Amino acid sequence: MKKRFLYLDTFALVRVSSDAAFAESTKAYIAKEGFLLTVSAMNFIELVSWPKRWAEVVSFVASVPFCIALNPDEIAAKEVACYPNELASLPVGFFSSDYSYSAEVLNNALALNLEGKVVEFAREYRDNYRAALQVVVKKRESFLPEKSGKYSPSELQMFMHSSVLSMLFPVHRDFLARALSEAQAEGQSEGINVARFKAAYIQALAIFVEYYVQKKEGKPSDMGDILQLGIIPYVEMSVLDHERCDLIHRFNRDQLFPGLLQAHNLPTFKALIGA
């Protein structure tokens, strides 16, 4: 049976977990629809800023079937391995259903990770966020729309191609060189099909829409939110904050992403599950 993934961003996880009635409704919905609650390392890293909510979130996660998705860079590696085909499913590092651990044991293990490694990783990520934001804003000034103040479809295509390949380089340098050589040998003028790398593609698209089109100034923590988007193409449903949910709906409305993405904000998710 094909696994069905439900992803709650950190904001949604905190809100659901801290409201007993909301948590019970979500558990019932997960059981009814056969979902796997999907969490990521980024969820845990961001929870460092919510220490009073750690116990509630960990308890909620451990109370339902859940999995821990691979980080977006690891997802990208799986996509590279599949190219030119599409990656079929979300790469996962841990399924709770693979073990006979009790909810209490899972709870303790998750809490231990929160209190240990994740705290250390969070410090490193914060520095990386700041550096990434500076690069995004700096590059924006050198890539302005040529006409009428709006980016053309060809300019979007140019941005996406360049950005996705940059995100895959230098880790996948050898693959990129080989794939480009093969495309040229086969007379494929478009070269590498960057839409196959959905984890990187959706991140680059978010940067383009928010920072280049909307001219958002942003804050370092936005980079963490954008990084988490790498999971969204591989889940059946996501629950995101208003801003990211609106962004996903824009992708769908304007057909910017190669495939329909399912996203709710908290109010629409509540209405869906009858909370």
Side-chain angles (χ1 to χ4, degrees), residues 85-103:
N85 299 316
E86 290 188 358
L87 182 62
S89 183
L90 175 71
V92 170
F94 177 87
F95 287 106
S96 64
S97 59
D98 287 346
Y99 303 89
S100 57
Y101 299 143
S102 67

PDB file of all heavy atoms in Angstrom, residues 85-103:
ATOM      1  N   ASN A  85      14.556  10.086 -14.677  1.00  0.00           N
ATOM      2  CA  ASN A  85      13.228   9.777 -14.175  1.00  0.00           C
ATOM      3  C   ASN A  85      12.928  10.595 -12.923  1.00  0.00           C
ATOM      4  O   ASN A  85      13.834  11.118 -12.273  1.00  0.00           O
ATOM      5  CB  ASN A  85      13.120   8.282 -13.860  1.00  0.00           C
ATOM      6  CG  ASN A  85      13.341   7.417 -15.089  1.00  0.00           C
ATOM      7  OD1 ASN A  85      12.810   7.710 -16.163  1.00  0.00           O
ATOM      8  ND2 ASN A  85      14.126   6.375 -14.945  1.00  0.00           N
ATOM      9  N   GLU A  86      11.662  10.658 -12.555  1.00  0.00           N
ATOM     10  CA  GLU A  86      11.273  11.358 -11.343  1.00  0.00           C
ATOM     11  C   GLU A  86      11.421  10.450 -10.133  1.00  0.00           C
ATOM     12  O   GLU A  86      11.200   9.247 -10.221  1.00  0.00           O
ATOM     13  CB  GLU A  86       9.818  11.831 -11.431  1.00  0.00           C
ATOM     14  CG  GLU A  86       9.575  12.948 -12.420  1.00  0.00           C
ATOM     15  CD  GLU A  86       8.156  13.488 -12.306  1.00  0.00           C
ATOM     16  OE1 GLU A  86       7.377  12.956 -11.481  1.00  0.00           O
ATOM     17  OE2 GLU A  86       7.832  14.444 -13.021  1.00  0.00           O
ATOM     18  N   LEU A  87      11.770  11.032  -9.019  1.00  0.00           N
ATOM     19  CA  LEU A  87      11.777  10.302  -7.757  1.00  0.00           C
ATOM     20  C   LEU A  87      10.334   9.967  -7.400  1.00  0.00           C
ATOM     21  O   LEU A  87       9.461  10.837  -7.412  1.00  0.00           O
ATOM     22  CB  LEU A  87      12.420  11.164  -6.664  1.00  0.00           C
ATOM     23  CG  LEU A  87      12.571  10.549  -5.278  1.00  0.00           C
ATOM     24  CD1 LEU A  87      13.482   9.334  -5.332  1.00  0.00           C
ATOM     25  CD2 LEU A  87      13.140  11.585  -4.310  1.00  0.00           C
ATOM     26  N   ALA A  88      10.067   8.698  -7.071  1.00  0.00           N
ATOM     27  CA  ALA A  88       8.686   8.233  -6.933  1.00  0.00           C
ATOM     28  C   ALA A  88       8.041   8.604  -5.608  1.00  0.00           C
ATOM     29  O   ALA A  88       6.829   8.803  -5.537  1.00  0.00           O
ATOM     30  CB  ALA A  88       8.637   6.717  -7.116  1.00  0.00           C
ATOM     31  N   SER A  89       8.816   8.685  -4.530  1.00  0.00           N
ATOM     32  CA  SER A  89       8.208   8.895  -3.225  1.00  0.00           C
ATOM     33  C   SER A  89       9.166   9.644  -2.304  1.00  0.00           C
ATOM     34  O   SER A  89      10.361   9.753  -2.582  1.00  0.00           O
ATOM     35  CB  SER A  89       7.845   7.537  -2.606  1.00  0.00           C
ATOM     36  OG  SER A  89       7.188   7.706  -1.363  1.00  0.00           O
ATOM     37  N   LEU A  90       8.634  10.138  -1.224  1.00  0.00           N
ATOM     38  CA  LEU A  90       9.427  10.877  -0.249  1.00  0.00           C
ATOM     39  C   LEU A  90      10.489   9.982   0.372  1.00  0.00           C
ATOM     40  O   LEU A  90      10.164   8.933   0.939  1.00  0.00           O
ATOM     41  CB  LEU A  90       8.514  11.423   0.855  1.00  0.00           C
ATOM     42  CG  LEU A  90       9.204  12.136   2.021  1.00  0.00           C
ATOM     43  CD1 LEU A  90       9.766  13.484   1.557  1.00  0.00           C
ATOM     44  CD2 LEU A  90       8.232  12.340   3.181  1.00  0.00           C
ATOM     45  N   PRO A  91      11.755  10.363   0.324  1.00  0.00           N
ATOM     46  CA  PRO A  91      12.801   9.595   1.007  1.00  0.00           C
ATOM     47  C   PRO A  91      12.700   9.802   2.521  1.00  0.00           C
ATOM     48  O   PRO A  91      12.639  10.934   2.996  1.00  0.00           O
ATOM     49  CB  PRO A  91      14.098  10.195   0.453  1.00  0.00           C
ATOM     50  CG  PRO A  91      13.715  10.929  -0.787  1.00  0.00           C
ATOM     51  CD  PRO A  91      12.325  11.426  -0.522  1.00  0.00           C
ATOM     52  N   VAL A  92      12.674   8.719   3.238  1.00  0.00           N
ATOM     53  CA  VAL A  92      12.459   8.766   4.689  1.00  0.00           C
ATOM     54  C   VAL A  92      13.591   8.053   5.411  1.00  0.00           C
ATOM     55  O   VAL A  92      14.065   7.008   4.970  1.00  0.00           O
ATOM     56  CB  VAL A  92      11.097   8.117   5.031  1.00  0.00           C
ATOM     57  CG1 VAL A  92      10.948   7.920   6.531  1.00  0.00           C
ATOM     58  CG2 VAL A  92       9.958   8.975   4.494  1.00  0.00           C
ATOM     59  N   GLY A  93      14.009   8.641   6.521  1.00  0.00           N
ATOM     60  CA  GLY A  93      15.096   8.047   7.299  1.00  0.00           C
ATOM     61  C   GLY A  93      14.614   7.165   8.438  1.00  0.00           C
ATOM     62  O   GLY A  93      15.372   6.332   8.950  1.00  0.00           O
ATOM     63  N   PHE A  94      13.352   7.348   8.855  1.00  0.00           N
ATOM     64  CA  PHE A  94      12.832   6.585   9.997  1.00  0.00           C
ATOM     65  C   PHE A  94      11.321   6.477   9.905  1.00  0.00           C
ATOM     66  O   PHE A  94      10.632   7.473   9.694  1.00  0.00           O
ATOM     67  CB  PHE A  94      13.216   7.287  11.307  1.00  0.00           C
ATOM     68  CG  PHE A  94      12.668   6.613  12.546  1.00  0.00           C
ATOM     69  CD1 PHE A  94      13.365   5.592  13.161  1.00  0.00           C
ATOM     70  CD2 PHE A  94      11.456   7.012  13.095  1.00  0.00           C
ATOM     71  CE1 PHE A  94      12.864   4.966  14.305  1.00  0.00           C
ATOM     72  CE2 PHE A  94      10.944   6.401  14.236  1.00  0.00           C
ATOM     73  CZ  PHE A  94      11.648   5.376  14.835  1.00  0.00           C
ATOM     74  N   PHE A  95      10.827   5.249  10.036  1.00  0.00           N
ATOM     75  CA  PHE A  95       9.390   4.999  10.156  1.00  0.00           C
ATOM     76  C   PHE A  95       9.125   4.439  11.546  1.00  0.00           C
ATOM     77  O   PHE A  95       9.705   3.414  11.922  1.00  0.00           O
ATOM     78  CB  PHE A  95       8.916   3.968   9.127  1.00  0.00           C
ATOM     79  CG  PHE A  95       8.843   4.467   7.712  1.00  0.00           C
ATOM     80  CD1 PHE A  95       9.786   4.068   6.782  1.00  0.00           C
ATOM     81  CD2 PHE A  95       7.823   5.315   7.315  1.00  0.00           C
ATOM     82  CE1 PHE A  95       9.712   4.506   5.468  1.00  0.00           C
ATOM     83  CE2 PHE A  95       7.744   5.764   5.999  1.00  0.00           C
ATOM     84  CZ  PHE A  95       8.690   5.367   5.079  1.00  0.00           C
ATOM     85  N   SER A  96       8.234   5.062  12.292  1.00  0.00           N
ATOM     86  CA  SER A  96       7.925   4.535  13.622  1.00  0.00           C
ATOM     87  C   SER A  96       7.310   3.144  13.533  1.00  0.00           C
ATOM     88  O   SER A  96       7.478   2.316  14.437  1.00  0.00           O
ATOM     89  CB  SER A  96       6.976   5.486  14.363  1.00  0.00           C
ATOM     90  OG  SER A  96       5.715   5.574  13.714  1.00  0.00           O
ATOM     91  N   SER A  97       6.622   2.867  12.432  1.00  0.00           N
ATOM     92  CA  SER A  97       5.950   1.572  12.263  1.00  0.00           C
ATOM     93  C   SER A  97       6.932   0.417  12.054  1.00  0.00           C
ATOM     94  O   SER A  97       6.551  -0.750  12.145  1.00  0.00           O
ATOM     95  CB  SER A  97       4.982   1.628  11.080  1.00  0.00           C
ATOM     96  OG  SER A  97       5.675   1.961   9.888  1.00  0.00           O
ATOM     97  N   ASP A  98       8.200   0.741  11.766  1.00  0.00           N
ATOM     98  CA  ASP A  98       9.202  -0.304  11.567  1.00  0.00           C
ATOM     99  C   ASP A  98       9.689  -0.891  12.887  1.00  0.00           C
ATOM    100  O   ASP A  98      10.451  -1.867  12.894  1.00  0.00           O
ATOM    101  CB  ASP A  98      10.400   0.244  10.789  1.00  0.00           C
ATOM    102  CG  ASP A  98      10.087   0.477   9.329  1.00  0.00           C
ATOM    103  OD1 ASP A  98       9.052  -0.032   8.861  1.00  0.00           O
ATOM    104  OD2 ASP A  98      10.863   1.173   8.655  1.00  0.00           O
ATOM    105  N   TYR A  99       9.279  -0.283  13.986  1.00  0.00           N
ATOM    106  CA  TYR A  99       9.756  -0.711  15.299  1.00  0.00           C
ATOM    107  C   TYR A  99       8.569  -0.918  16.240  1.00  0.00           C
ATOM    108  O   TYR A  99       7.516  -0.313  16.066  1.00  0.00           O
ATOM    109  CB  TYR A  99      10.712   0.328  15.894  1.00  0.00           C
ATOM    110  CG  TYR A  99      11.898   0.616  15.005  1.00  0.00           C
ATOM    111  CD1 TYR A  99      11.833   1.608  14.031  1.00  0.00           C
ATOM    112  CD2 TYR A  99      13.070  -0.130  15.117  1.00  0.00           C
ATOM    113  CE1 TYR A  99      12.922   1.862  13.198  1.00  0.00           C
ATOM    114  CE2 TYR A  99      14.158   0.119  14.283  1.00  0.00           C
ATOM    115  CZ  TYR A  99      14.067   1.108  13.328  1.00  0.00           C
ATOM    116  OH  TYR A  99      15.130   1.359  12.506  1.00  0.00           O
ATOM    117  N   SER A 100       8.769  -1.752  17.234  1.00  0.00           N
ATOM    118  CA  SER A 100       7.703  -2.024  18.198  1.00  0.00           C
ATOM    119  C   SER A 100       7.875  -1.183  19.462  1.00  0.00           C
ATOM    120  O   SER A 100       7.476  -1.606  20.541  1.00  0.00           O
ATOM    121  CB  SER A 100       7.700  -3.515  18.562  1.00  0.00           C
ATOM    122  OG  SER A 100       8.973  -3.908  19.073  1.00  0.00           O
ATOM    123  N   TYR A 101       8.477  -0.001  19.302  1.00  0.00           N
ATOM    124  CA  TYR A 101       8.681   0.869  20.449  1.00  0.00           C
ATOM    125  C   TYR A 101       7.336   1.396  20.958  1.00  0.00           C
ATOM    126  O   TYR A 101       6.426   1.681  20.175  1.00  0.00           O
ATOM    127  CB  TYR A 101       9.551   2.067  20.080  1.00  0.00           C
ATOM    128  CG  TYR A 101      10.943   1.720  19.593  1.00  0.00           C
ATOM    129  CD1 TYR A 101      11.535   2.464  18.585  1.00  0.00           C
ATOM    130  CD2 TYR A 101      11.659   0.654  20.132  1.00  0.00           C
ATOM    131  CE1 TYR A 101      12.817   2.172  18.122  1.00  0.00           C
ATOM    132  CE2 TYR A 101      12.929   0.349  19.672  1.00  0.00           C
ATOM    133  CZ  TYR A 101      13.501   1.107  18.666  1.00  0.00           C
ATOM    134  OH  TYR A 101      14.758   0.792  18.219  1.00  0.00           O
ATOM    135  N   SER A 102       7.250   1.558  22.246  1.00  0.00           N
ATOM    136  CA  SER A 102       6.066   2.170  22.822  1.00  0.00           C
ATOM    137  C   SER A 102       6.111   3.673  22.587  1.00  0.00           C
ATOM    138  O   SER A 102       7.167   4.245  22.280  1.00  0.00           O
ATOM    139  CB  SER A 102       6.005   1.902  24.328  1.00  0.00           C
ATOM    140  OG  SER A 102       7.079   2.575  24.993  1.00  0.00           O
ATOM    141  N   ALA A 103       4.954   4.322  22.740  1.00  0.00           N
ATOM    142  CA  ALA A 103       4.912   5.784  22.594  1.00  0.00           C
ATOM    143  C   ALA A 103       5.841   6.447  23.605  1.00  0.00           C
ATOM    144  O   ALA A 103       6.471   7.464  23.306  1.00  0.00           O
ATOM    145  CB  ALA A 103       3.478   6.276  22.779  1.00  0.00           C
TER     146      ALA A 103
END
